[in-house]
Amino acid sequence: MDCKQAEKLFDAYLDGELSGSMATELGAHRLQCANCRRALALLEVTGHIISSDRKPESLTPDFTDRLLACVDEQELGNWAKWQHRFYLGAALAAAAVIVLAFAGFFDGTRVGMVAGEKEVNPSMTSDAPVEAIEDDEPIEPAKEAALSEWFRRTEKNVKSKKESGESLQRALDSTLEQVLDVLENEADMAPINPDTDAAKTPFPASKSDGVGDVAEEDGH
Amino acid sequence: MATNATTITREHERDLIAQAKQGDRVALRELVDSHKERLYGFIFRMVRNQHDAEDICQDAFLKAFASLESFSTEYRFSTWLFTIGYRVCLNNLRRKKPVSSELDFTTLPGSDSGDSNDILESEDAAKAKSMVWACVDRLSPPQRATVLLFYKQELGCHEIARILQMPPATVKSHLHRARACLRELLEPMTDRAYETFRNFAQRAG
């Protein structure tokens, strides 16, 4: 074994990975070669000093306490960050609502509607009874009763026309005519007598648009 | 991990981590106390500055605890901690100038004509050690980390590979280059200094 071959085995030898026969060969070369002997000894000694140097490298005594205090601070900081984000989000949302309110976004509309768009009373498109129609002015009880009665009659009228096989459009048209008559006469509100003609059923003019629209929709 | 490193069993470590995840401060304290000296020893040898080493050590623990939820107990906590510590060390070292001063062998024990019987005197021992550490400081960070983890922490190539996040073959390569570099750095010492140096190591061992 020459020096080049021996040097290639240095790492395996130092890592304890050299097989028995190779270790013997390297040992024999080491005895003969002063350079390899010196090089190998240098590496062995260096490794030994690095591994055995127990020079005290102590941390400051309160290291753990300070570290755990930092952990607490970090957690509190995270909580404060979330709180800050929450308050900031709430403030931004409130500001957005105020801006939209000033811009008239919510005037006469519901969520999901664009300002100026006419509202469709959901009760008119379903079988649910009419309870109230939203408006700026409060509805008087008498008017409300009259409206309820009118819708009830309309529903009954439409149902009977359906059952008798008559044109639904005609039934709706006749109801609409009654509504328009009332609008033209600007009739005063009065309690509804169930026996009186539906054409006399009074209701505020402002409601006519909605009712008429729905009646037309039902006809489709 | 290394013999001096395993102060808590694997099972106990898993329990501690599970408790720490629940915010148990006692478990956190035990995890810190059982790993801090070894981690600090490694980091101090990497950055060679007590103040920086302590800051890095603290940073490594805080980073580890901050992402404790994502830690898998399949691995040792120490491996994970050393990985974080090594990365923080690299960031610290990048901001600093590399060591470039020449090695001074004249201060080595036995380099003058004095009697070599005083080799066990603490001053000479300290000089010999500082000579070796001065050479270690001249290694590149990956080479230095490999040497420290191999010799000082007594870890195998596979565990070093996990910590340094490189293939085991690369670890072997770093170790080989580090040895070659140390040999080159220490070769210039005089024969007498070398003999004294060697004798010191044998007696100290």
Side-chain angles (χ1 to χ4, degrees):
Chain A
M1 181 181 283
D2 59 22
C3 289
K4 263 193 172 179
Q5 290 171 320
E7 279 189 24
K8 283 181 183 173
L9 300 174
F10 280 4
D11 281 303
Y13 171 76
L14 293 167
D15 296 345
E17 294 172 352
L18 209 57
S19 65
S21 59
M22 294 301 280
T24 308
E25 268 194 68
L26 182 64
H29 176 79
R30 190 180 182 176
L31 285 172
Q32 295 168 354
C33 176
N35 283 339
C36 287
R37 188 163 61 243
R38 180 184 163 116
L40 211 46
L42 201 65
L43 290 172
E44 282 175 329
V45 168
T46 303
H48 175 78
I49 286 182
I50 294 170
S51 62
S52 63
D53 183 12
R54 303 294 178 209
K55 183 187 172 186
E57 299 139 1
S58 50
L59 285 156
T60 47
D62 62 341
F63 175 80
T64 307
D65 291 330
R66 283 190 293 111
L67 176 63
L68 292 178
C70 284
V71 171
D72 289 337
E73 267 178 39
Q74 216 172 43
E75 285 183 3
L76 281 173
N78 286 342
W79 170 240
K81 205 184 287 176
W82 280 110
Q83 265 188 324
H84 176 73
R85 282 178 189 169
F86 173 77
Y87 288 132
L88 187 67
L92 285 173
V97 167
I98 290 167
V99 167
L100 288 172
F102 272 109
F105 187 80
F106 301 114
D107 288 353
T109 63
R110 286 182 175 176
V111 175
M113 290 184 67
V114 178
E117 192 177 289
K118 284 180 183 174
E119 181 182 4
V120 175
N121 190 335
S123 64
M124 297 301 287
T125 56
S126 68
D127 293 335
V130 176
E131 287 180 9
I133 296 175
E134 286 183 7
D135 201 345
D136 292 336
E137 294 174 16
I139 300 172
E140 290 173 20
K143 289 181 181 177
E144 193 176 348
L147 276 170
S148 298
E149 177 58 23
W150 182 79
F151 284 126
R152 192 187 64 74
R153 279 170 172 255
T154 305
E155 273 183 0
K156 191 180 171 184
N157 195 14
V158 167
K159 203 179 281 181
S160 67
K161 296 287 180 189
K162 263 185 181 176
E163 284 168 3
S164 64
E166 286 188 45
S167 165
L168 186 64
Q169 187 62 50
R170 274 183 61 189
L172 289 169
D173 286 346
S174 99
T175 311
L176 186 61
E177 266 176 39
Q178 292 166 12
V179 171
L180 291 171
D181 283 344
V182 172
L183 279 174
E184 281 172 8
N185 296 332
E186 293 183 354
D188 292 335
M189 293 298 297
I192 299 293
N193 181 352
D195 298 330
T196 58
D197 196 308
K200 293 178 183 172
T201 305
F203 55 87
S206 59
K207 308 293 182 295
S208 63
D209 289 350
V211 173
D213 292 346
V214 173
E216 283 168 12
E217 277 180 24
D218 280 354
H220 292 305
Chain B
M1 223 161 168
T3 50
N4 62 336
T6 314
T7 53
I8 53 175
T9 63
R10 190 86 188 255
E11 196 61 37
H12 186 47
E13 185 178 283
R14 284 194 186 121
D15 291 343
L16 287 176
I17 288 165
Q19 288 161 15
K21 281 180 182 177
Q22 305 295 319
D24 188 335
R25 288 290 179 274
V26 178
L28 277 181
R29 180 175 287 276
E30 196 173 339
L31 279 172
V32 173
D33 285 340
S34 57
H35 292 93
K36 65 179 182 183
E37 291 298 341
R38 280 180 45 240
L39 181 67
Y40 177 73
F42 170 67
I43 291 170
F44 176 77
R45 291 299 182 192
M46 284 295 293
V47 298
R48 304 291 287 165
N49 179 295
Q50 196 170 355
H51 181 73
D52 286 354
E54 195 157 323
D55 282 351
I56 292 169
C57 197
Q58 179 171 303
D59 202 13
F61 272 112
L62 288 174
K63 280 180 164 48
F65 291 151
S67 51
L68 202 58
E69 283 297 328
S70 63
F71 172 67
S72 166
T73 48
E74 185 186 332
Y75 304 99
R76 290 302 301 253
F77 181 70
S78 52
T79 305
W80 192 47
L81 198 59
F82 271 69
T83 303
I84 296 171
Y86 174 64
R87 286 184 179 187
V88 184
C89 276
L90 288 183
N91 289 338
N92 176 280
L93 291 168
R94 278 192 199 109
R95 291 195 295 266
K96 297 197 169 185
K97 288 179 183 174
V99 178
S100 59
S101 60
E102 292 295 317
L103 290 171
D104 181 10
F105 289 102
T106 59
T107 58
L108 271 174
S111 58
D112 53 18
S113 55
D115 193 346
S116 62
N117 289 332
D118 59 354
I119 53 173
L120 289 179
E121 282 184 15
S122 61
E123 193 183 348
D124 285 347
K127 281 176 183 173
K129 286 177 183 177
S130 65
M131 189 71 247
V132 170
W133 287 117
C135 293
V136 171
D137 287 345
R138 278 159 179 76
L139 300 173
S140 71
Q143 286 174 3
R144 189 152 72 241
T146 307
V147 164
L148 291 172
L149 293 171
F150 184 82
Y151 285 112
K152 198 152 178 62
Q153 302 296 330
E154 298 172 11
L155 301 181
C157 283
H158 285 277
E159 189 145 13
I160 295 172
R162 273 198 289 271
I163 289 173
L164 304 184
Q165 300 197 309
M166 54 179 70
T170 310
V171 171
K172 289 225 170 203
S173 170
H174 280 311
L175 198 55
H176 171 77
R177 285 164 197 255
R179 281 170 177 154
C181 194
L182 287 171
R183 190 178 147 193
E184 196 179 319
L185 288 166
L186 291 166
E187 277 287 352
M189 69 171 68
T190 62
D191 287 344
R192 184 173 176 133
Y194 162 71
E195 286 301 326
T196 311
F197 186 74
R198 191 168 166 239
N199 286 338
F200 156 74
Q202 282 174 347
R203 293 192 192 191

